[in-house]
Amino acid sequence: MIRPLPDSAAALASATWEDIEPWFDELEARPLDPGAMWAWLDDWSTLEALLMEAASRAMIRYTVNTRDEQAEADYRRFSTTILPQADERSVALQKRLVASGYRTPELDTAIERFRTSIEIFREANVPLMSQLEELGANYQKLTGGMTAEWEGQRLPLPRLQPFLKSLDRGVRERAWSASVQPYVAARDEMAALFDRMHALRQQVAHNAGFANYRDYIFPAKFRFDYTPADCVHFHEAVEQAVMPAFDRLMAHRREFLGVQALRPWDLAVELHGREAVRPFSDGAELASRAREVFERVDPELGHEFGTMMQEGLLDLDSRDGKAPGGYCDTLHITGRPFIFMNAVGMTDDVNTLLHEAGHAFHAFASHPLPLLWQRHPGSEMAELASMSMELLAAPHLQRPAGFFAPEDWRQARLDHLEDVIITLAHVASIDAFQHWIYTDPAGADAAARDAAWLRIRSRFERGVDWSGLERERIARWYRQLHVFLYPFYYIEYGIAQLGALQVWRNSLRDPVGAVRKYREALSLGATRPLPALYEAAGVRLAFDAGIIGELVALVEEEIGRLRAEAPAPA
Ligand SMILES: [Zn+2]
């Protein structure tokens, strides 16, 4: 490099595109003889890793405090200016690499991705992508600022979580209404926001020569190993093999609660008449207990989580002004993951942390691969890492080291396994909805979208009485941030859950061997095609009702066993 690259991303915290562009100019102009190839790839990888880490750090600062105006400006500068321009320049470098004919087995999958990006890249889409980023930031600001009136106080929505699980039906109905209301009130504003996103996305697809955004997104998301038809198969397989189990869960819940009909506010309450369990008091306790749990899954994983605690790479507690949700992001230069969430002391928070930690372990495992593009496979594999961790950690969640007394553990375990079944159905509904949105001309119409949602949702959410609550049921998809921010990013959860259930099935026979294969698969990063990564983890990439039926049967069997262990009523 004429001007050397900085050692750390901190040097780029307030960089503008003008500061960064000369590095791309140099990489684009440097002669590429075979002997210089690796050094060129290494410089390019380092530059991108620096930019991504600087962008991640800006995003982290903004999401931990959405009122920090400087952080917001930095985050927006990276997401709307620097990264889109860098992406554009990267495509030029990808073209040089592909044109050079340079091949090495450890870069095969990356080159395949580059070739695809080149094919679908259009100059005209660059400004459209940055408009989409801008609209996405508006969605986050709108939802992040939502509060609800509760007992005379204004609370951020995640703080209502505990009341949604109240054993008092009146309390949970009020909490549920209060938490849905801001979305009902913002429906028109959010529908208008989505109208703009929808038009921009279809335009992006048309510019790239595709009939619609769904057809564009498959190559854009490097879905080389499955097709839209496979996704439709998945929807049908869920209908056939999951919905009967879903119906049994709802019937069980209705009987247990002793209600005539399940209403939407009856879905979060824990059964067996127990007061809501508080598995930890604050983020610090959540982290230290989690470390103990990971230690038992695998000592090396426990050590990695300890490193995150020491280095301040966890922001776990819910606070006013924090963005909603949870994520794990990777800092690509330091090779460290960062976990963000909104914990309020609930069992769900434990599951969220186990999930995000699975992503973090993936980052640790793949960072030793030399080039950025070798490290990060698609979400189908990334979510296998996180969802498997939820299942692998489950046997170790009892106190004293873990979070739960035996009876609470049994309950948490039941909730998790029931959630696995409900989530498969939810994934099918979100994916089927998005297929409809971008392939049916009526997807451009706000009222038609809401109607389609109700139709699709009733295929995959049965046994719940929504009468008189149509607006609230419609509000559900506006709350699904993926539909706004990460279109079509959802089927991955279904595919990965089926993989994770197979990892779990392996661990029932051979716990040590299953974790070893899991970690080996993570350490391959993105250097193998998806079916080969799954194979390395000891599982099969599958969409068919046959395997879904087998795995759902295994989950139902475990649910039956846990229910049978319920203590006798006093
Ligand atoms: Zn995840």
Side-chain angles (χ1 to χ4, degrees):
M1 284 283 178
I2 298 163
R3 182 165 54 109
L5 289 166
D7 292 333
S8 96
L12 299 181
S14 48
T16 62
W17 173 243
E18 288 65 37
D19 300 323
I20 288 153
E21 194 169 21
W23 283 311
F24 279 102
D25 293 340
E26 198 274 339
L27 285 165
E28 210 169 322
R30 195 191 299 180
L32 280 192
D33 54 79
M37 205 67 193
W38 191 263
W40 180 75
L41 285 166
D42 191 41
D43 282 344
W44 171 20
S45 172
T46 304
L47 173 59
E48 291 207 3
L50 282 163
L51 286 178
M52 288 172 78
E53 177 158 337
S56 291
R57 288 187 181 277
M59 192 259 298
I60 289 166
R61 283 203 316 280
Y62 173 59
T63 51
V64 301
N65 179 10
T66 56
R67 290 174 195 140
D68 180 337
E69 285 172 12
Q70 184 59 50
E72 181 175 2
D74 289 340
Y75 168 59
R76 290 202 179 222
R77 190 177 67 259
F78 272 100
S79 61
T80 64
T81 310
I82 296 177
L83 292 185
Q85 306 234 45
D87 280 352
E88 193 183 340
R89 298 300 300 268
S90 288
V91 173
L93 300 179
Q94 291 171 16
K95 276 186 184 150
R96 287 196 80 193
L97 174 62
V98 169
S100 77
Y102 180 82
R103 291 291 294 268
T104 155
E106 59 268 30
L107 270 179
D108 259 0
T109 57
I111 289 171
E112 176 70 8
R113 295 196 301 272
F114 292 164
R115 197 190 308 279
T116 305
S117 298
I118 291 162
E119 274 169 23
I120 66 171
F121 177 80
R122 297 295 181 278
E123 190 71 45
N125 281 340
V126 176
L128 306 188
M129 301 283 196
S130 71
Q131 285 178 55
L132 279 163
E133 288 283 348
E134 192 81 48
L135 294 173
N138 292 346
Y139 176 85
Q140 278 183 305
K141 204 175 170 73
L142 181 66
T143 54
M146 282 179 177
T147 57
E149 180 86 23
W150 188 255
E151 314 285 348
Q153 262 187 301
R154 280 254 147 226
L155 296 183
L157 298 186
R159 299 269 298 277
L160 292 179
Q161 283 293 326
F163 307 107
L164 293 171
K165 298 196 168 200
S166 173
L167 297 177
D168 182 329
R169 202 179 195 200
V171 170
R172 63 181 188 258
E173 179 178 354
R174 277 192 294 119
W176 182 86
S177 301
S179 66
V180 176
Q181 191 47 43
Y183 285 91
V184 172
R187 185 268 177 200
D188 290 352
E189 190 180 351
M190 296 175 97
L193 184 66
F194 194 83
D195 280 343
R196 296 175 62 198
M197 290 178 151
H198 182 273
L200 283 166
R201 285 175 185 150
Q202 297 289 47
Q203 190 59 50
V204 163
H206 295 155
N207 289 349
F210 293 90
N212 58 64
Y213 190 70
R214 194 226 19 211
D215 292 354
Y216 167 84
I217 205 76
F218 272 69
K221 288 170 75 62
F222 308 129
R223 291 177 173 181
F224 302 134
D225 305 292
Y226 62 99
T227 64
D230 287 323
C231 296
V232 174
H233 272 135
F234 174 85
H235 310 153
E236 288 162 356
V238 167
E239 209 164 11
Q240 190 188 324
V242 178
M243 293 318 291
F246 185 100
D247 292 341
R248 285 188 283 275
L249 284 182
M250 292 301 139
H252 176 81
R253 174 166 289 268
R254 194 177 60 238
E255 273 167 41
F256 233 108
L257 292 175
V259 293
Q260 288 218 315
L262 283 180
R263 301 289 276 161
W265 46 87
D266 295 323
L267 301 181
V269 61
E270 281 158 12
L271 305 184
H272 306 107
R274 304 168 57 75
E275 273 305 329
V277 173
R278 295 303 179 118
F280 61 93
S281 57
D282 60 11
E285 187 186 352
L286 172 59
S288 68
R289 289 188 181 278
R291 179 174 49 185
E292 294 288 334
V293 169
F294 297 132
E295 196 76 49
R296 283 160 176 76
V297 176
D298 185 304
E300 187 58 31
L301 299 180
H303 176 74
E304 287 171 357
F305 194 78
T307 301
M308 296 184 73
M309 292 168 69
Q310 279 159 23
E311 297 183 5
L313 297 167
L314 303 167
D315 190 317
L316 306 182
D317 288 302
S318 176
R319 286 189 308 274
D320 219 5
K322 232 172 126 167
Y327 64 76
C328 174
D329 199 21
T330 304
L331 303 170
H332 291 278
I333 289 293
T334 54
R336 294 291 196 245
F338 179 89
I339 293 178
F340 170 97
M341 53 183 281
N342 279 283
V344 289
M346 308 289 289
T347 299
D348 282 351
D349 299 324
V350 176
N351 293 333
T352 301
L353 183 60
L354 298 176
H355 178 99
E356 300 303 340
H359 289 308
F361 299 139
H362 205 173
F364 276 108
S366 62
H367 188 71
L369 290 161
L371 300 176
L372 180 66
W373 317 289
Q374 295 177 301
R375 298 177 199 151
H376 300 277
S379 311
E380 299 86 354
M381 183 61 197
E383 296 301 330
L384 179 137
S386 53
M387 291 174 145
S388 297
M389 187 44 60
E390 295 179 48
L391 290 159
L392 292 171
H396 308 290
L397 295 178
Q398 293 201 34
R399 284 182 186 243
F403 292 91
F404 306 104
E407 176 50 20
D408 295 337
W409 174 82
R410 195 183 64 83
Q411 186 61 53
R413 184 98 185 99
L414 273 169
D415 282 340
H416 180 206
L417 293 172
E418 290 176 1
D419 191 56
V420 166
I421 289 173
I422 290 166
T423 299
L424 285 170
H426 180 63
V427 167
S429 73
I430 297 294
D431 192 60
F433 181 51
Q434 296 194 84
H435 278 250
W436 181 87
I437 284 179
Y438 296 102
T439 56
D440 193 306
D445 180 74
R449 281 196 300 268
D450 290 350
W453 169 252
L454 291 174
R455 204 166 55 239
I456 290 164
R457 191 65 168 176
S458 60
R459 258 175 89 191
F460 297 106
E461 189 195 54
R462 308 193 298 216
V464 182
D465 176 8
W466 282 88
S467 52
L469 297 167
E470 194 167 270
R471 288 183 314 159
E472 288 78 359
R473 194 174 201 188
I474 288 167
R476 182 64 187 85
W477 84 260
Y478 292 91
R479 201 151 62 78
Q480 194 70 47
L481 64 91
H482 305 74
V483 179
F484 285 80
L485 301 180
Y486 315 110
F488 284 95
Y489 178 26
Y490 221 69
I491 187 77
E492 289 91 335
Y493 290 116
I495 294 169
Q497 186 66 270
L498 298 177
L501 288 169
Q502 294 174 73
V503 170
W504 172 57
R505 182 164 68 179
N506 296 344
S507 79
L508 297 176
R509 288 193 292 261
D510 176 10
V512 173
V515 171
R516 182 172 47 77
K517 285 200 153 194
Y518 164 81
R519 292 194 58 202
E520 277 167 15
L522 302 197
S523 72
L524 292 172
T527 58
R528 303 275 194 286
L530 181 62
L533 292 175
Y534 269 45
E535 206 183 304
V539 308
R540 185 163 75 78
L541 179 67
F543 298 88
D544 53 293
I547 191 154
I548 296 181
E550 278 170 40
L551 295 168
V552 167
L554 184 68
V555 172
E556 277 200 292
E557 215 175 279
E558 184 76 4
I559 287 173
R561 198 175 6 254
L562 288 160
R563 277 187 189 151
E565 286 168 10

